[in-house]
Amino acid sequence: MQINGIHHVTAIAGPARRNLDFYGRVLGLRLVKKTVNFDDPSTYHLYYGDEAGSPGTILTFFPWEHAASGRLGVGETQETAFRVPEGAIGYWAHRFVELGVVHDAPEKRFGETVLPFRDPDGMRLALVGLPGIAGEPPWAGAGVPAEHAIRGFHGVSLLIDDAGPTGAILSDVLGFAEVARDGSLTRFRAEGAPFGGIVDLRAAGGFLPARQGAGSVHHIAFRAADDAAQAQMVRRLAENHGIRATEQRDRNYFRSVYFREPGKVLFEIATDAPGFGIDETPETLGQGLKLPPRYEARRSQIEAVLPELN
Ligand code: ZN
């Protein structure tokens, strides 16, 4: 069955070990897959998520030891937000003070309590406290108490010149609908998405263009149930919006197409299948270094150049 919403968010980071410490220990996400950048196997590709690595909970990083910092600008994701139970915001504000995480005071957006913070690379993140989600299963294996743990994505906000054409693609191709406006922000929601159902478009005409680097989001992936659903989205994109997606690429854990949306943000459409259980059991997710078949023969050379994570 087709469920819409965000599948994963992929960002660029500095040193891998620092990235793992922040997302695994400080935020308490599960490292669900440790693999390499398929286009450059000398660098990691780290996937964090919930216990099962469900679509809509997956934040992935390409960590580069010496990455230059990015500069936020138009044509880029401004902020990536996670959902936590409403009562957990106080716990997190306290935890951020205790652990020295850069953060702002909680604020209200669209009636929701939002706690903005940054990762060690300056990536803009937020926790959004939501009612009625305390029963969603948390990953409590990392030391954050279950009642406060991150449940998955809330959504992303994109900084773009003009919300119109991007909004049309969210609505017509990706299964979202416009649900609210607040100043220069337009909120889109994917009905029925358990996680990652929100995309906020912030129209910021005249702002400087983005420069990608450490702390920048590289792309946002949206969900397609399977190859047929993905092909149908690709057809609508071409026929109704004149945008051609790439050929499908096999990412081992999902199959993907990519396109640059009119606001210049890189979008991906990723299949829910086969998922992260394809090469590890639920208990051992994220423990081994997983390589795509074409790199297996070079495993020992690849392992020798990858930085230590522990
Ligand atoms: Zn991706």
Side-chain angles (χ1 to χ4, degrees):
M1 195 185 80
Q2 175 66 30
I3 297 172
N4 297 304
I6 294 168
H7 182 284
H8 65 268
V9 174
T10 292
I12 302 165
R17 192 196 302 217
R18 188 176 71 183
N19 183 260
L20 177 61
D21 179 68
F22 187 79
Y23 288 93
R25 182 179 63 88
V26 176
L27 294 192
L29 302 179
R30 186 177 193 188
L31 179 67
V32 293
K33 198 61 65 180
K34 183 166 59 180
T35 180
V36 293
N37 182 335
F38 286 12
D39 301 315
D40 173 8
S42 69
T43 60
Y44 282 115
H45 192 182
L46 303 178
Y47 290 76
Y48 303 96
D50 70 356
E51 182 167 7
S54 312
T57 72
I58 302 295
L59 177 58
T60 96
F61 287 93
F62 294 124
W64 308 85
E65 294 301 299
H66 305 292
S69 293
R71 182 190 66 204
L72 177 69
V74 163
E76 197 176 50
T77 300
Q78 181 181 27
E79 185 184 77
T80 302
F82 299 101
R83 55 202 262 137
V84 296
E86 205 169 22
I89 291 289
Y91 165 85
W92 282 101
H94 185 78
R95 183 171 176 83
F96 288 167
V97 170
E98 211 165 54
L99 298 178
V101 175
V102 177
H103 64 286
D104 297 333
E107 60 191 56
K108 287 277 182 191
R109 289 185 216 156
F110 294 107
E112 297 163 345
T113 305
V114 180
L115 174 60
F117 67 104
R118 307 281 186 105
D119 83 354
D121 292 303
M123 179 171 167
R124 288 155 200 264
L125 301 160
L127 296 175
V128 181
L130 297 172
I133 69 164
E136 289 176 1
W139 164 245
V144 174
E147 70 262 37
H148 302 310
I150 287 172
R151 297 322 205 248
F153 287 129
H154 183 54
V156 294
S157 61
L158 311 182
L159 196 61
I160 51 179
D161 263 329
D162 172 10
T166 304
I169 286 170
L170 287 170
S171 308
D172 183 50
V173 179
L174 299 171
F176 286 72
E178 184 182 324
V179 290
R181 286 191 188 208
D182 180 0
S184 61
L185 269 185
T186 310
R187 169 157 290 194
F188 289 78
R189 184 189 301 276
E191 196 54 52
F195 314 107
I198 298 289
V199 176
D200 289 333
L201 301 183
R202 184 182 291 280
F207 215 76
L208 282 173
R211 187 188 59 217
Q212 295 248 304
S216 304
V217 170
H218 186 262
H219 63 265
I220 307 288
F222 294 91
R223 294 177 69 173
D226 52 25
D227 292 341
Q230 185 187 63
Q232 197 179 14
M233 291 160 123
V234 166
R235 262 198 309 279
R236 287 183 80 83
L237 188 65
E239 284 169 10
N240 300 351
H241 305 274
I243 295 175
R244 277 176 65 103
T246 61
E247 293 292 298
Q248 191 190 66
R249 298 190 190 147
D250 185 355
R251 299 308 191 190
N252 258 18
Y253 311 104
F254 41 85
R255 293 179 292 278
S256 300
V257 300
Y258 302 83
F259 63 98
R260 189 71 67 177
E261 57 83 31
K264 301 204 172 61
V265 181
L266 184 59
F267 277 6
E268 170 181 346
I269 303 172
T271 56
D272 286 351
F276 295 99
I278 189 175
D279 57 5
E280 284 175 302
T281 63
E283 297 74 35
T284 61
L285 280 182
Q287 290 184 8
L289 176 69
K290 295 295 162 186
L291 299 177
R294 68 177 184 275
Y295 292 137
E296 264 310 332
R298 291 165 55 194
R299 174 175 281 273
S300 57
Q301 290 134 278
I302 288 171
E303 284 179 343
V305 299
L306 287 170
E308 277 291 331
L309 281 183
N310 301 311

Coordinates of all heavy atoms in Angstrom, one line a residue, residues 8-10 45 47 60 219-221 251 254 256 258 268 270, ligand 1:
H8 N 13.7 9.4 3.7 CA 14.9 9.7 4.5 C 15.4 11.1 4.1 O 15.0 11.7 3.1 CB 16.0 8.6 4.3 CG 16.5 8.5 2.9 ND1 16.0 7.7 1.9 CD2 17.6 9.2 2.2 CE1 16.7 7.8 0.8 NE2 17.7 8.8 0.9
V9 N 16.3 11.5 5.0 CA 17.0 12.8 4.7 C 18.5 12.5 4.7 O 19.0 11.8 5.6 CB 16.7 13.8 5.8 CG1 17.5 15.1 5.7 CG2 15.2 14.2 5.8
T10 N 19.2 13.0 3.8 CA 20.7 12.7 3.7 C 21.4 14.0 3.8 O 21.1 15.0 3.1 CB 21.0 12.0 2.4 OG1 20.5 10.7 2.5 CG2 22.5 11.9 2.2
H45 N 28.8 5.8 4.7 CA 27.4 6.3 4.6 C 26.8 5.7 5.8 O 26.6 4.5 5.9 CB 26.8 5.9 3.3 CG 25.5 6.6 3.1 ND1 24.7 6.3 2.0 CD2 24.8 7.5 3.8 CE1 23.6 7.1 2.0 NE2 23.7 7.8 3.1
Y47 N 23.5 5.4 8.5 CA 22.1 5.6 8.5 C 21.6 5.4 10.0 O 21.9 4.4 10.6 CB 21.4 4.4 7.8 CG 21.6 4.4 6.3 CD1 22.7 4.0 5.6 CD2 20.5 4.8 5.4 CE1 22.9 4.0 4.3 CE2 20.6 4.7 4.1 CZ 21.8 4.4 3.5 OH 21.9 4.3 2.1
T60 N 20.5 10.1 7.2 CA 21.8 9.5 6.8 C 22.8 10.6 6.6 O 22.5 11.7 6.3 CB 21.6 8.6 5.5 OG1 22.0 9.4 4.3 CG2 20.2 8.1 5.3
H219 N 20.0 15.9 0.3 CA 18.7 15.7 -0.4 C 17.6 15.2 0.5 O 18.0 14.7 1.6 CB 18.9 14.8 -1.6 CG 19.3 13.4 -1.3 ND1 20.7 13.0 -1.3 CD2 18.6 12.3 -0.8 CE1 20.7 11.7 -0.9 NE2 19.5 11.3 -0.6
I220 N 16.4 15.3 0.1 CA 15.3 14.7 0.8 C 14.7 13.6 -0.1 O 14.4 13.8 -1.3 CB 14.1 15.8 1.0 CG1 14.7 17.1 1.6 CG2 13.0 15.2 1.7 CD1 15.0 17.0 3.0
A221 N 14.5 12.5 0.5 CA 13.8 11.4 -0.2 C 12.4 11.2 0.2 O 12.1 11.2 1.4 CB 14.6 10.1 0.0
R251 N 20.0 1.2 -4.4 CA 20.8 1.6 -3.2 C 20.8 0.4 -2.2 O 20.9 0.7 -1.0 CB 20.2 2.8 -2.6 CG 20.2 4.0 -3.6 CD 21.6 4.3 -4.1 NE 21.8 5.6 -4.8 CZ 22.8 5.9 -5.4 NH1 23.9 5.1 -5.6 NH2 22.9 7.1 -6.0
F254 N 16.9 0.3 -0.8 CA 15.7 0.9 -1.5 C 16.2 1.2 -2.9 O 17.4 1.1 -3.2 CB 15.3 2.2 -0.8 CG 16.3 3.1 -0.3 CD1 17.0 4.0 -1.1 CD2 16.8 3.0 1.0 CE1 18.0 4.8 -0.6 CE2 17.8 3.8 1.5 CZ 18.4 4.7 0.6
S256 N 16.0 4.0 -6.1 CA 15.8 5.5 -6.1 C 15.9 6.1 -7.4 O 16.7 5.7 -8.3 CB 16.9 6.1 -5.2 OG 16.8 5.6 -3.9
Y258 N 16.1 10.4 -8.8 CA 16.4 11.7 -8.3 C 16.0 12.8 -9.3 O 16.0 12.6 -10.5 CB 18.0 11.9 -8.1 CG 18.5 10.9 -7.1 CD1 18.9 9.6 -7.6 CD2 18.7 11.1 -5.8 CE1 19.4 8.6 -6.7 CE2 19.2 10.2 -4.9 CZ 19.6 8.9 -5.4 OH 20.1 8.0 -4.5
E268 N 14.5 13.0 -4.0 CA 14.7 11.6 -4.4 C 13.3 10.9 -4.1 O 12.6 11.4 -3.3 CB 15.8 10.9 -3.5 CG 15.9 9.4 -3.6 CD 17.0 8.9 -2.6 OE1 17.8 9.7 -2.1 OE2 17.0 7.7 -2.4
A270 N 12.2 7.2 -3.1 CA 12.8 5.9 -2.7 C 11.7 4.9 -2.4 O 10.7 5.2 -1.8 CB 13.7 6.1 -1.5
Ligands
ZN1 ZN 18.9 9.3 -0.5

